[in-house]
Amino acid sequence: MLSAVERKIEQFVADLNDKEVTALYAKLPQGKRLRAKLILKIAGNTLPVVKTAAVVEMIHAASLLHDDVIDDAFTRRSKPSLNALYGNKTAIMLGDILYSKGFFELNNISAEVSRMVSNAVTQLSLGELKDVSLSKSFNLDKEIYLEMIYQKTASLIEASAGAAAILAGKPKEVYMTYGRNLGLAFQMIDDLLDITSDAKTLGKPALHDFVEGKTTLPYIYLYEVLSKEEQEKLSILHAKVLTKEEQSWILLKMQEHQIIERSYFEAKELIEEAIELMDSHGEEALSGIAKEMIERDF
Ligand code: FPP
Ligand code: MG
């Protein structure tokens, strides 16, 4: 039923009656539509549910448009990003148009759903700001990293599940916990893929996060187990363009200390908790989405 969401987004965009915006929207790669999938699986496919899913996906698309400007990213899902194709100004404005139209439509759904989703967008923005600020120094604090990824990524997935539960008359806390765990694990795995995948699969150079100054969970764990001299070496490499040798050194040290396995285990624990929670509520389809996430390639 994802196609109903696709059609609803197209209709919302068409409502704006602007040829340029319609053409720009058509250029955006659609992505996995994880948030819409969750919403439909929790709440079915009545009109308010489809509208909520469409709004959430428009907000998500807006956040990625802005994120690619902030990150100077020239690719998104292995294709040229909108900022690469048309410049930062166009990308920012398309983001603003998508999310303000989303907010407008949100008001026609329900006050509780509207509060839930709009609060998540504030969290999203606070998280993105934190991500930028943290990348200016070598963050070694796992709690700070977790708080940042909760805000930047998990908050909208948590709110999607919560909003769907409200619409379906299901206990919202249960579904929000599921969404939060899924969101945290999703970002942790995304951060792992930045280390384990090659440039071709990623659509961006490997170890890009560290070069950008982002010390994700594996770097925090690696630092903890390195010798004093090695810690110093890693801090010197932080936020620098890396030579092939420097890249290999980081990867070798990660292998030596089983850092990827340790970080993956942490994401897996969150997923297992989410699966158990959904199994105990008879929500097999939602357990299935969680399982798929942990079985992603890497
Ligand atoms: C991707 O992170 C970014 C996010 C999940 C959130 C971005 C949020 C904003 C820019 C706030 C603005 C919100 C709106 C609605 C306009 P990443 O860079 O770690 O992941 P990536 O590898 O997918 O780029
Ligand atoms: Mg980014």
Side-chain angles (χ1 to χ4, degrees), residues 35 58-60 62-64 66-68 70-71 73 76 95-96 99 103 121 124-126 128 131 152-153 187 190-191 204 209 214:
R35 294 152 189 82
M58 284 163 82
I59 292 171
H60 177 57
S63 77
L64 295 183
H66 286 190
D67 180 67
D68 284 342
I70 293 167
D71 287 349
R76 167 68 56 190
D96 289 346
Y99 91 84
F103 272 109
V121 180
L124 212 67
S125 308
L126 289 169
E128 184 80 350
D131 197 16
K152 181 179 78 165
T153 306
Q187 190 60 49
D190 210 56
D191 293 345
K204 61 185 176 182
D209 285 344
K214 298 181 185 187

Side-chain angles (χ1 to χ4, degrees), residues 213-277:
K214 298 181 185 187
T215 46
T216 55
L217 196 57
Y219 298 96
I220 296 175
Y221 283 161
L222 179 62
Y223 189 87
E224 278 172 13
V225 297
L226 290 178
S227 69
K228 272 263 158 311
E229 297 76 48
E230 290 171 333
Q231 285 181 338
E232 199 146 314
K233 179 165 175 180
L234 189 65
S235 343
I236 291 169
L237 298 181
H238 172 250
K240 298 239 165 64
V241 176
L242 302 171
T243 64
K244 274 262 164 300
E245 288 70 33
E246 291 164 342
Q247 268 198 14
S248 307
W249 181 77
I250 293 177
L251 292 173
L252 185 77
K253 287 290 151 193
M254 289 213 176
Q255 222 171 27
E256 224 173 275
H257 296 282
Q258 299 191 307
I259 297 297
I260 299 301
E261 290 80 355
R262 197 175 148 198
S263 312
Y264 180 70
F265 182 74
E266 190 123 345
K268 205 169 169 188
E269 273 192 328
L270 288 165
I271 291 291
E272 271 158 12
E273 211 179 284
I275 292 173
E276 264 171 44
L277 191 61

